[in-house]
Each structure stands twice: as structure tokens, then as C-alpha cells.
Amino acid sequence: MRPTRKGGALDHPGDAAVMRLQALVARQRGELDGLRSLAAGRSEFDLARGIIMGQLGCSPDEARRQLERMASRAELSASELAAQITKQAPPAAEPSTGWYKRSLAAAREQLADTEERAAEEHYLALRLQQAITPRTAEPLAADGLDIAARHRPSGPGKLVSGDWYDTVQLPGGVILLVVGDIAGHGLDAVTGMVAMRNGLRGLAATGARPATLLGWLNTAACHFSPGVMGTAICGQFDPDTKSLKWARAGHLPPVLVRDGQPRILEPPPGIMLGADPDVALGEAITPLKSGDALLLFTDGLIERRDQSIDQALDELLQRARQPAESISRYADELIDHTSSDTDDDACLLAVRVR
């Protein structure tokens, strides 16, 4: 449906962009007419480059590259193609209303196509993210642990991101706990997240230790998924020994709450996934006891533009000091009352040892 105006305001968000494009086309047309008036003192190549600048709204260097590519495809020299372009351009004395209308129509069509493709990609990315990381996962019953998982989207209409969590009981009874964050937003970030999450789950079935698992995942990211980078924390809880083996790849360390006293666990070394295929990741073992609460989260839970990360972590520690009666309520309180203003999603795994 064609957008219209109501009460002097635009009732379609695309109209504002169309008006900007109209202004851009008008400005480019003025620049083009100015170039035509200087035709006598300029080479045909320069004039053709100016025409391409006006039509594409690009820089002089990009216009030159476009002209050279067009000449190559037409098997002409750049000067021969420039001569053809200048002969086909509307004369300077004639108002180029036809060219202007065609350019504006093309701009509208391109804008509509771009908006449609962006909406489709956003919908697909959102569905993928919701399938992998639902906003609320009911408390999971696992040997020795109560677990609640939460995902907080950045907001309606915002680009979806690659934050994710996973928890599963592995063969032998060990419980896998993972939180990760793929760099970027949109469909690329979400598809990267799906690959990382499913890849790590499959690798975990081998029984390898967390540092080994993240090392394999890093190798896969570097060699098979160029451009995909992110952070992750991977833990394995042994219900027999009540201990947590864990490793991280550039991710914030977990928070342990014992007897109402929260503290950040000392992290082993490790840089983000996809940055270096030869990186060596460290590993830590943390003994736990009944009643302990453990928090694994992405930085979107706490980061603020007006605070350092240390200040944001301190606020989280204060909020985590009073665990609720159930792990589900505890997770809800943390996800609802921690604040972030970075337009980023947040994931949280809240764990309580039985």
C-alpha cells in the first residue's frame, strides 16, 4: 500500500528514507549539471565519471572503478566507453526530469526491496534464535543441580544477536553448562551461534574436557567459519564430586554465591573463538557444595556505556547476594533487575547445587 501523510506526519517509516533519497538525487543532479557545464574544460573520462557519480551516489574513486569494470565487460577502452556515456547523457540545456523521475523510481524500488529483504532476514534470525535460546526455560532437573535459563532480547525492533546458552546431561552423568556470545548482529550472528552451539554439543559427547572442547571449537571457527568470532564459557559439573571443571574463550567468568557471599571466580587464560587457531586455553576446577549458586551470563546482562565492566560486575554481585527460594525465581529477579544500555541481548544460566 502506498504510504500517505496524516496530519502533516508520515504514516510509513519508509517515506522518511524516500525523502532523503529525493534530496540526495536532487543534489546529485545539481552536481551532474555542474559537471556538464564544465564539459568543455574536462575530458570525456572525467565527465563520464561524474555522470556515474550522480547516478550511483558514489565516490569519485568508486565511479572510476565502475567505469573501468563497465569498459572491461563491454570490451572497450575506458575512453571509448566514456565517449558513449557522454553522448547518451541528457543535454545540459534540457531539464533532466525524465532521468530524475527514473532515478527516483529506481531509488524507491531499491529501498522497498532492501526493506523487504531486511525484514525477511530479521524474521528468520529471530525464529532461529528463539528456537535455540527461548526467553524462558523451565527449571531443568539434572543430577545434583537445579538449573534455570533465561534470554533477554535487546528490545522490539532491534537487531537480534548471537547470545546463546546450552545445558545437557552427557553420557556418564556429567552436566554440560555453556553460555556464549557471537560477535555482531543479525542473521550472520545467529547462524554463527547455531553452528557454535550445535558443534560444541556434538563435541561434548566425546567426554573431552572443557578446555579441549573449546580448543576444538576454536579450530573449527578459524578454519571452517571465517569471519565468525565470539566468546564462550564451558563448564562440566560432576554430581559425584560436586566439582565444576570449566574453561573460557574470552568470556566473563562465572559468579559463585556461597552463604550469601558472591564472588567472581578466578578465570583461566583464554582468548575469543575464531581469533587464533593455535591459542592454548587454560582450565580451572572449582569445588562446590550444597546450596551454592552459580551464574554464567553474557555481557549484555550488565554492560552499560557509562560504567566500567568492573563497576557493572560489582552491581551484579550486590544483586546476586540474596538468592530467592527457587532457582527459577532467582533467575527471573536477576534478568529483570540487572540493567544494560548497549542494545545487546543477554543470556543467563542460574545453577544451584543440591
Side-chain angles (χ1 to χ4, degrees), residues 2-245:
R2 170 171 288 189
T4 58
R5 294 177 181 268
K6 292 183 180 179
L10 294 169
D11 71 345
H12 190 293
D15 261 2
V18 170
M19 291 178 67
R20 289 195 297 271
L21 283 168
Q22 288 176 325
L24 175 62
V25 170
R27 185 170 65 251
Q28 290 168 353
R29 179 169 172 260
E31 293 171 354
L32 181 57
D33 290 340
L35 284 171
R36 290 199 188 100
S37 69
L38 297 174
R42 304 186 66 140
S43 69
E44 288 179 330
F45 185 90
D46 288 338
L47 183 56
R49 184 176 63 173
I51 292 171
I52 292 173
M53 287 171 60
Q55 290 175 337
L56 301 183
C58 59
S59 67
D61 287 342
E62 178 59 26
R64 175 184 56 78
R65 289 191 289 268
Q66 288 282 355
L67 184 60
E68 291 172 348
R69 282 195 289 267
M70 290 163 61
S72 175
R73 287 196 297 269
E75 297 183 351
L76 300 172
S77 68
S79 59
E80 288 171 335
L81 181 62
Q84 290 187 10
I85 290 174
T86 55
K87 288 176 183 176
Q88 294 170 3
E94 296 180 8
S96 304
T97 55
W99 174 83
Y100 169 73
K101 290 179 179 178
R102 289 194 300 273
S103 297
L104 182 57
R108 282 180 178 271
E109 183 178 349
Q110 184 177 6
L111 175 64
D113 181 63
T114 299
E115 288 180 338
E116 182 178 355
R117 285 189 286 108
E120 289 175 352
E121 286 194 2
H122 180 81
Y123 176 75
L124 178 57
L126 188 61
R127 291 297 300 271
L128 280 171
Q129 185 187 59
Q130 290 172 343
I132 297 297
T133 55
R135 294 186 64 170
T136 300
E138 291 303 313
L140 303 175
D143 290 345
L145 287 182
D146 293 320
I147 307 170
R150 298 289 184 269
H151 170 244
R152 183 179 68 199
S154 58
K158 301 290 182 63
L159 288 173
V160 293
S161 68
D163 293 41
W164 57 284
Y165 62 79
D166 195 16
T167 177
V168 64
Q169 190 152 9
L170 300 172
V174 170
I175 301 165
L176 180 72
L177 303 169
V178 186
V179 168
D181 185 1
I182 300 301
H185 294 83
L187 186 58
D188 288 343
V190 175
T191 54
M193 172 268 286
V194 173
M196 290 281 192
R197 185 254 193 190
N198 292 343
L200 185 58
R201 176 176 278 205
L203 291 170
T206 65
R209 299 171 68 97
T212 302
L213 294 176
L214 288 183
W216 287 341
L217 194 64
N218 178 63
T219 299
C222 290
H223 291 286
F224 305 124
S225 302
V228 175
M229 300 180 69
T231 67
I233 183 166
C234 175
Q236 292 173 341
F237 175 77
D238 187 336
D240 294 331
T241 62
K242 283 188 168 59
S243 63
L244 180 76
K245 288 197 297 282

Side-chain angles (χ1 to χ4, degrees), residues 320-339:
R321 192 176 294 275
Q322 301 295 332
E325 67 275 10
S326 71
I327 197 64
S328 181
R329 178 65 63 83
Y330 188 39
D332 286 338
E333 290 180 355
L334 288 171
I335 204 78
D336 290 341
H337 294 97
T338 50
S339 61

